[in-house]
Amino acid sequence: MKKHPLEKWGDLVGGKRSRWITLALWLVIVGVLAAVFPQVSSVENFAGDDLPEEMMSREASALIKEQFPSDSGIPLLIVWYKEAGLEIADLQGIQSLYSKLAENPLDGQTTLPPLGQLPTEALLGSVSDNGKSIVTPVFFSTETNTETLQENLEKISGITEAEIGENPYTTGLEGEELRARFSGPVGIAIDATALFSEADVKLMTATVVLILVLLIVLYRSPLLAVIPILVVGVAFLAVSPLLGWFAENGWISKDAQAVAIMTVLLFGAGTDYCLFLITRYRDVLLEEENRFLAISRALKESAGAIAMSALTVVIGLATLGLANYGAFQRFAVPFSFGVLLTGVAVLTLLPAILAILGRAAFWPFIPRTVDMEKKRARETNKLYKEPKENHRFMRKVGNFATGKPWIVIIITGAILIGLAVVSTQIKYNYDLLSSFPEDMPSREGFALIEENFTPGELAPVQVLVNTNGATMDVKADLEALPYVGLVKEVRVGAVDANIQLYEVDLNKNPYSNEAMDDLGDMKEQVPSILTAAGLEDAEDNYWLGGETSAQLDTKDVQSRDENVIQPVMIVIILLVLLVYLRAVVTSLQLMVTVVVSFFAALGAGWLILTMFFGAESIASSIPLYAFVFIIALGNDYNIFMISDIWNNRQKGQGHKESIAGGVASTGAVITSAGLILAGTFAVLATLPIQLLVQFGVVTAVGVLLDTFIVRPLLVPAIITVFGRWSYWPGKLFKKDL
């Protein structure tokens, strides 16, 4: 009898001799990659802008760099604070620091205010109205890397300590002495790097420990618990240096956040794929005595579904490459490439390891055929016991879903739709700083600015105008806008005198959503103001820069990315399902149920985050990140279950029997896999970075909803209701129910 191609694959990677070759090849490949290429964690993190160059805030930033060079570069804001009020001696200490920085500039230092040359009394004008705080900047080149910036902050700390007698950056803010915090873009970048560098190690450790514990609890086999971690670990050791190589050559931009989440994804999804093959191998060992034939047969029955599931995830995650927002785009290659290599490891390295270990992999609950059990009973002088029926509980679940499908559809549908409605109440934020712990230096610095200065001084809006030779001053007109608190005197460009700069302080927190709404209104009002002042083509001759403008642009770009990536991903995965299942109705319902579960996950996640984590809003990037993961991973489980249902129908089983059998045979392993995957994403909630906490909670909830509601109940019930049309137009459509 001619062997199935996947059985031949099993012989190739897990045969009596080839198993050792497969294992050796992987070890050699990993060793060579580690020796030749850098680990991705050692590569410099991306420090550029997430917004496309054509966005107004980016154009304004470029114009400021050209026309107002004293404002150019990346600013480090040193926020000085003294509870009892700043004294002349404190200001003189600050001046001494700036004198030293002027005499011996730091690496990458571009512009420095001449504070050391001014009379001390001149600094009093920059002190907050309550006399407690002053903010002084140091500008660095945009080309300065994070490592150099970190070294510069350490040098500033050393100089400051030498000049004032103590290090004000590391002491608590309470007390009567002078205190300081590094903030602004440089401070934020340094803090973000520190957070994510710590997160990598913590995340890897916590994820591996969690998976190990869950596998031991669920499968009660110590060796079996180690095998998936070993396989995925080897895959990670191949992925990391290859991504490091890509980043080193400039083919991708390394993103510490992406690497952190990739770790969770690879160990979570990779363990799931391992469990699908391991479980099938164990089932086959109950019928086949020869372990090599068993691994070939197990691959024949599961490799197609594993490959298709991995392909679905790879394609789904790769759609992030269509994004215009840099942070989204930087996720595409690490995620999709990582899952691809992990899938290859599961279909090559795992069969080799299972073939080497054989039944011993499942000790102490070793799977044996009936004949082997009878022989063992005779040899040990014990009575032979008939094996219990497998998957009894999940078979009951399958029978319930197929026996009362409308009740199941109504109840599960009500739960999911109810949670989905909650998702419409979510509030989003667009600033990175809100993701930081409250005790991070850069966030403490911004808090000091917010407490001691007027809100708009945190980050002024920069209104740039090209007068094209016209004489105008629109300061009073800008001040008349209801949301403007203060407008500084107009400044003229150093290169082109036609370029004017108005620095506008809003009368509210410039990082708030309300400020973003105000800026949207300002975009509409400024052209009218300029036209009334005599400027022709005003629409093309003004720019709004600053943090609030960048946040508004971020909102627009992210909205565009969601509108492009979400439908593209749905269509691509739908086409993959159509090709694999050859069933239009089932493919459509699978996509619809997973999309509904995504919105339900957003709603449930929002409830959890507000009730238990005290969140008032969530990061604006969460919906797209969660969508990509939940849609891709949710269809993973559906593919495994539907594959078994289709196989049952091909064997001649009835419609409802096939569905209940598919739920039963895949239920336990999918439930275990879902718990592990949700657990790994939940690990993100232990980190001090709110963005990762929120993403972890929402995605974990989505996986759990799919594991316990959508996949075992809703999907089987819908397939039952559609009857033979569930298989149309494939060959199974013609079979009798």
Side-chain angles (χ1 to χ4, degrees):
M1 185 177 181
K2 189 176 181 181
K3 278 191 174 184
H4 189 278
L6 290 176
E7 285 183 291
K8 293 180 179 179
W9 178 255
D11 294 338
L12 180 64
V13 297
K16 195 169 184 178
R17 295 179 180 175
S18 59
R19 54 184 172 160
W20 297 106
I21 297 174
T22 303
L23 178 61
L25 278 174
W26 268 103
L27 294 178
V28 169
I29 290 171
V30 167
V32 170
L33 290 176
V36 175
F37 301 132
Q39 298 297 317
V40 68
S41 58
S42 68
V43 178
E44 179 67 26
N45 198 45
F46 177 78
D49 205 300
D50 286 326
L51 294 171
E53 291 182 356
E54 66 270 14
M55 300 307 295
M56 181 180 282
S57 61
R58 287 288 305 276
E59 291 180 341
S61 178
L63 195 56
I64 288 173
K65 183 177 181 180
E66 174 190 323
Q67 298 292 334
F68 305 92
S70 61
D71 293 348
S72 66
I74 308 173
L76 165 68
L77 300 182
I78 306 179
V79 186
W80 306 88
Y81 174 77
K82 191 173 185 179
E83 179 60 32
L86 294 171
E87 301 174 4
I88 293 296
D90 299 320
L91 298 178
Q92 288 173 340
I94 296 171
Q95 286 183 299
S96 296
L97 166 65
Y98 274 75
S99 295
K100 295 291 184 183
L101 294 178
E103 292 170 10
N104 299 292
L106 301 168
D107 291 342
Q109 179 180 314
T110 55
T111 308
L112 188 75
L115 302 185
Q117 302 171 19
L118 299 174
T120 304
E121 290 73 14
L123 269 67
L124 292 173
S126 300
V127 174
S128 60
D129 291 340
N130 61 13
K132 295 181 178 182
S133 183
I134 186 173
V135 180
T136 60
V138 180
F139 292 89
F140 294 96
S141 166
T142 55
E143 306 300 319
T144 311
N145 60 44
T146 307
E147 185 178 347
T148 301
L149 290 174
Q150 175 65 55
E151 292 172 356
N152 287 340
L153 264 57
E154 292 171 1
K155 291 177 182 177
I156 292 175
S157 296
I159 297 171
T160 306
E161 185 171 5
E163 294 300 318
I164 71 172
E166 68 171 342
N167 188 337
Y169 305 101
T170 56
T171 51
L173 293 176
E174 66 284 348
E176 298 302 317
E177 301 302 319
L178 179 64
R179 304 291 184 249
R181 292 294 183 267
F182 294 124
S183 196
V186 170
I188 292 172
I190 296 301
D191 284 348
T193 301
L195 279 176
F196 285 113
S197 62
E198 294 173 8
D200 283 350
V201 178
K202 292 179 181 177
L203 203 55
M204 176 77 79
T205 303
T207 302
V208 170
V209 169
L210 177 71
I211 291 174
L212 192 61
V213 170
L214 287 175
L215 285 173
I216 290 175
V217 170
L218 293 170
Y219 288 91
R220 297 171 295 168
S221 171
L223 191 55
L224 183 62
V226 173
I227 292 173
I229 294 175
L230 181 64
V231 171
V232 180
V234 170
F236 180 81
L237 291 176
V239 170
S240 180
L242 285 172
L243 289 178
W245 179 44
F246 295 167
E248 196 175 48
N249 283 278
W251 301 331
I252 64 171
S253 296
K254 183 253 181 136
D255 189 307
Q257 184 176 289
V259 173
I261 297 177
M262 182 193 73
T263 303
V264 172
L265 173 65
L266 295 193
F267 276 93
T271 299
D272 283 3
Y273 298 149
C274 288
L275 290 182
F276 290 128
L277 178 56
I278 288 170
T279 302
R280 190 51 52 94
Y281 182 51
R282 183 180 60 183
D283 289 344
V284 174
L285 286 174
L286 294 172
E287 302 173 1
E288 174 58 60
E289 187 170 341
N290 187 302
R291 58 174 147 169
F292 303 112
L293 293 177
I295 195 65
S296 294
R297 182 175 153 191
L299 278 168
K300 173 191 172 184
E301 296 179 6
S302 64
I306 292 172
M308 190 56 62
S309 296
L311 181 63
T312 301
V313 175
V314 169
I315 292 174
L317 298 176
T319 58
L320 286 170
L322 299 174
N324 281 343
Y325 190 63
F328 292 156
Q329 195 177 70
R330 291 193 297 275
F331 275 47
V333 173
F335 288 177
S336 54
F337 182 71
V339 171
L340 180 64
L341 274 192
T342 301
V344 172
V346 171
L347 294 176
T348 55
L349 179 59
L350 179 59
I353 292 174
L354 292 176
I356 290 170
L357 296 174
R359 286 177 164 82
F362 301 92
W363 182 87
F365 301 97
I366 296 176
R368 300 181 179 90
T369 65
V370 172
D371 289 340
M372 291 174 70
E373 286 288 3
K374 288 179 177 179
K375 180 181 178 183
R376 183 169 177 267
R378 288 195 301 270
E379 291 175 349
T380 56
N381 293 319
K382 292 181 180 179
L383 289 174
Y384 168 71
K385 295 181 180 180
E386 289 289 338
K388 296 179 181 179
E389 180 188 6
N390 282 333
H391 319 303
R392 287 174 294 172
F393 176 76
M394 291 309 301
R395 188 170 294 278
K396 290 180 182 178
V397 173
N399 288 334
F400 175 72
T402 56
K404 299 180 179 180
W406 282 112
I407 291 178
V408 171
I409 291 172
I410 291 171
I411 293 175
T412 57
I415 293 171
L416 294 173
I417 292 173
L419 291 172
V421 170
V422 174
S423 70
T424 61
Q425 306 303 309
I426 296 176
K427 297 177 181 178
Y428 298 101
N429 60 68
Y430 295 84
D431 62 305
L432 173 65
L433 207 60
S434 62
S435 284
F436 286 9
E438 292 183 359
D439 60 353
M440 290 299 291
S442 57
R443 187 163 183 178
E444 285 185 328
F446 263 95
L448 288 174
I449 298 174
E450 192 171 12
E451 291 167 7
N452 294 282
F453 294 85
T454 56
E457 287 182 272
L458 278 167
V461 176
Q462 297 159 325
V463 181
L464 291 135
V465 180
N466 183 357
T467 63
N468 287 326
T471 302
M472 64 176 63
D473 186 342
V474 295
K475 178 177 181 290
D477 299 285
L478 292 173
E479 285 180 327
L481 295 173
Y483 37 80
V484 172
L486 175 72
V487 180
K488 296 179 181 177
E489 292 299 326
V490 63
R491 295 163 60 189
V492 178
V495 179
D496 185 350
N498 290 321
I499 303 297
Q500 294 182 340
L501 170 63
Y502 300 87
E503 289 194 304
V504 179
D505 292 350
L506 300 177
N507 57 15
K508 57 177 64 67
N509 184 342
Y511 293 94
S512 66
N513 289 346
E514 292 78 10
M516 292 169 60
D517 293 338
D518 290 343
L519 200 76
D521 181 74
M522 187 183 287
K523 278 189 174 182
E524 297 177 1
Q525 298 297 331
V526 168
S528 301
I529 291 173
L530 296 177
T531 300
L535 180 64
E536 297 181 1
D537 299 322
E539 287 281 357
D540 301 322
N541 287 288
Y542 85 98
W543 300 265
L544 300 183
E547 296 294 321
T548 313
S549 179
Q551 287 187 187
L552 186 60
D553 284 346
T554 296
K555 181 179 180 180
D556 293 340
V557 173
Q558 288 183 347
S559 177
R560 174 266 173 200
D561 288 346
E562 288 178 9
N563 292 335
V564 170
I565 292 172
Q566 289 178 348
V568 167
M569 183 177 177
I570 288 173
V571 170
I572 291 176
I573 292 181
L574 179 61
L575 290 174
V576 171
L577 291 173
L578 286 169
V579 170
Y580 184 64
L581 299 177
R582 293 182 174 83
V584 174
V585 173
T586 297
S587 298
L588 286 171
Q589 70 101 335
L590 290 180
M591 285 306 308
V592 170
T593 54
V594 173
V595 170
V596 171
S597 71
F598 156 70
F599 286 106
L602 270 184
W606 173 245
L607 292 176
I608 293 170
L609 289 167
T610 52
M611 292 168 132
F612 300 105
F613 291 84
E616 297 179 357
S617 61
I618 65 174
S620 60
S621 55
I622 296 298
L624 185 56
Y625 287 146
F627 178 87
V628 169
F629 277 81
I630 290 172
I631 299 299
L633 296 172
N635 274 307
D636 256 16
Y637 297 160
N638 284 330
I639 287 173
F640 280 103
M641 185 182 71
I642 298 297
S643 295
D644 267 34
I645 294 173
W646 262 230
N647 287 335
N648 292 338
R649 285 289 288 148
Q650 289 169 351
K651 293 175 183 177
Q653 294 181 15
H655 180 56
K656 290 186 177 181
E657 183 186 1
S658 296
I659 297 170
V663 174
S665 60
T666 61
V669 64
I670 290 179
T671 300
S672 301
L675 285 171
I676 290 170
L677 188 60
T680 55
F681 279 107
V683 167
L684 292 171
T686 65
L687 298 176
I689 307 163
Q690 287 304 304
L691 173 63
L692 295 184
V693 170
Q694 294 161 4
F695 170 71
V697 168
V698 171
T699 308
V701 168
V703 171
L704 291 176
L705 286 174
D706 185 78
T707 301
F708 293 103
I709 294 180
V710 176
R711 192 268 316 156
L713 295 170
L714 183 57
V715 169
I718 294 175
I719 294 176
T720 301
V721 167
F722 276 103
R724 70 189 313 123
W725 288 99
S726 295
Y727 310 101
W728 183 83
K731 294 179 181 178
L732 296 175
F733 172 70
K734 300 175 183 179
K735 278 183 171 283
D736 294 332
L737 296 181

